[in-house]
Amino acid sequence: MRIETIGLATLYLGDCREVLPTLTFDAVVTDPPYGVSMNGNAGRRAKVTNEIDNDTAPPDVSTLAQWPAVIWGGNNFCDQLPRSTGWLVWDKTHAEKCQHSQAELAWTNVVKTVRHYREAYHGFMRQRDGWFHPTQKPPELMKWCIGFVPKASVIADPYMGSGTTGIAAVELGKRFIGCEINEGYFEAACRRIEAAQSQGQLFEPARAEQ
């Protein structure tokens, strides 16, 4: 296992099932592999970071519900997660003719109602941030998620990918713990979080509406 400390962030290259039980943190904000088959259009959108169980078998995320948590793709884990009336919706603002998902859902236990976020993330928007992962999320979306756990000083992402949650956390002045099993994505996360850390906190974070 490899560990990198970059300012407020501590990043682990390894299996989150082994690493997570050894760590202490306040909240989880993550986007696990969904268990989508790598075929056709689905392949471009599927998580490919899960080298443990392959993409045909989603990981066990049931233990994450013991913390304040935001779990993207939660609709794919309904058999693992407790019933919740709180859901976060990312509206991608795609036209009706778009063949891909027009929105994504996150299971959460930190709000009791449905909350909505709207941001297109294609074309110029992706070029703005760089495109390092097939299911990369916008940094502002992840900041919005972290805003629902304002008292959490340490944010964990056990399926870190290219580190967008880490970027959001350090830009909000919070400590971050990330774990990623794919070395290529881990390296990208290190570079991106280091760049975000060097810029510092530019603005006072706004608290998300509960």
Side-chain angles (χ1 to χ4, degrees):
M1 181 175 62
R2 174 180 157 197
I3 304 173
E4 294 286 345
T5 301
I6 305 172
L8 294 172
T10 303
L11 311 182
Y12 294 81
L13 174 61
D15 186 337
C16 67
R17 297 176 298 184
E18 299 174 358
V19 176
L20 211 62
T22 69
L23 305 176
T24 300
F25 47 89
D26 301 317
V28 173
V29 178
T30 191
D31 184 22
Y34 299 167
V36 180
S37 63
M38 299 294 292
N39 295 313
N41 287 333
R44 292 197 295 270
R45 303 193 57 73
K47 284 285 189 177
V48 294
T49 55
N50 186 11
E51 296 184 344
I52 303 169
D53 301 312
N54 204 342
D55 192 58
T56 58
D60 182 359
V61 300
S62 59
T63 58
L64 301 182
Q66 65 185 292
W67 290 280
V70 174
I71 303 175
W72 283 98
N75 49 304
N76 296 287
F77 303 107
C78 290
D79 59 334
Q80 299 185 27
L81 297 168
R83 180 182 180 275
S84 177
T85 58
W87 288 85
L88 305 184
V89 181
W90 172 28
D91 179 354
K92 301 179 179 181
T93 73
H94 286 334
E96 293 182 1
K97 295 182 180 180
C98 179
Q99 296 180 353
H100 303 309
S101 295
Q102 297 176 10
E104 292 190 30
L105 302 176
W107 178 95
T108 184
N109 55 12
V110 297
V111 296
K112 297 181 179 179
T113 58
V114 176
R115 297 299 181 192
H116 176 265
Y117 177 89
R118 176 173 292 175
E119 180 180 357
Y121 204 55
H122 49 80
F124 171 76
M125 293 78 170
R126 287 181 177 177
Q127 294 176 18
R128 174 193 63 196
D129 299 324
W131 193 242
F132 305 94
H133 192 281
T135 59
Q136 186 173 314
K137 296 291 190 290
E140 292 303 318
L141 171 66
M142 305 316 280
K143 288 182 184 178
W144 179 70
C145 294
I146 294 172
F148 289 108
V149 286
K151 295 182 180 180
S153 59
V154 184
I155 305 296
D157 185 350
Y159 302 96
M160 176 176 65
S162 60
T164 303
T165 304
I167 292 171
V170 300
E171 288 186 350
L172 293 175
K174 295 181 179 290
R175 289 179 57 204
F176 175 72
I177 296 174
C179 185
E180 174 54 45
I181 197 170
N182 181 291
E183 187 173 6
Y185 295 141
F186 179 85
E187 294 289 355
C190 289
R191 295 192 301 270
R192 298 179 72 212
I193 292 173
E194 184 174 14
Q197 187 72 59
S198 65
Q199 294 179 8
Q201 184 177 359
L202 302 180
F203 303 100
E204 183 70 19
R207 178 171 177 171
E209 180 184 355
Q210 299 296 307

